[in-house]
Every structure is written in structure tokens, then in C-alpha cells.
Amino acid sequence: MQIIPPKNFTFKPIHSQQPLLQIHLLPHHFFIFTHPQTHPTTILYKTKHPKYPFIQTTQ
């Protein structure tokens, strides 16, 4: 197993419904974004079920 060099991204804040739209448009199983008011980094991801759980960072 090998760790490859990281990719760096700048996230634009978007509201919570927009990531749901984006995750359907992209070929990935996850979408990373920041919320414009609370600013945590959030990872929305697809599961086998029709639900979309998310992981949110804390400081």
C-alpha cells in the first residue's frame, strides 16, 4: 500500500442542499464542502441506502 502525494483544493462555502445536487452530477461517492455560516469542513457521501450521511469537522 502506498500513500500518494496530496491534492490541494479550496472549498467555496455552499448551502446544504447544493451538495446533494453536486454528488449526483459527479462520478465520486463523496462531496466535500464548507457551510457558509458554520464553516466546518463537511464530507457528504453515498451509501447503498438512499440516505446521505455526512462527516463534519470540529475545532
Side-chain angles (χ1 to χ4, degrees), residues 2-49:
Q2 181 182 7
I3 297 176
I4 60 173
K7 293 181 180 180
N8 296 309
F9 297 95
T10 301
F11 299 110
K12 293 182 179 180
I14 58 176
H15 291 282
S16 58
Q17 293 302 313
Q18 291 174 328
L20 285 173
L21 298 173
Q22 293 293 326
I23 202 166
H24 289 288
L25 297 174
L26 299 172
H28 305 294
H29 294 286
F30 62 92
F31 186 78
I32 304 171
F33 66 99
T34 58
H35 192 275
Q37 294 166 336
T38 57
H39 302 289
T41 300
T42 304
I43 304 167
L44 179 73
Y45 59 98
K46 293 180 184 179
T47 63
K48 294 179 183 179
H49 308 289

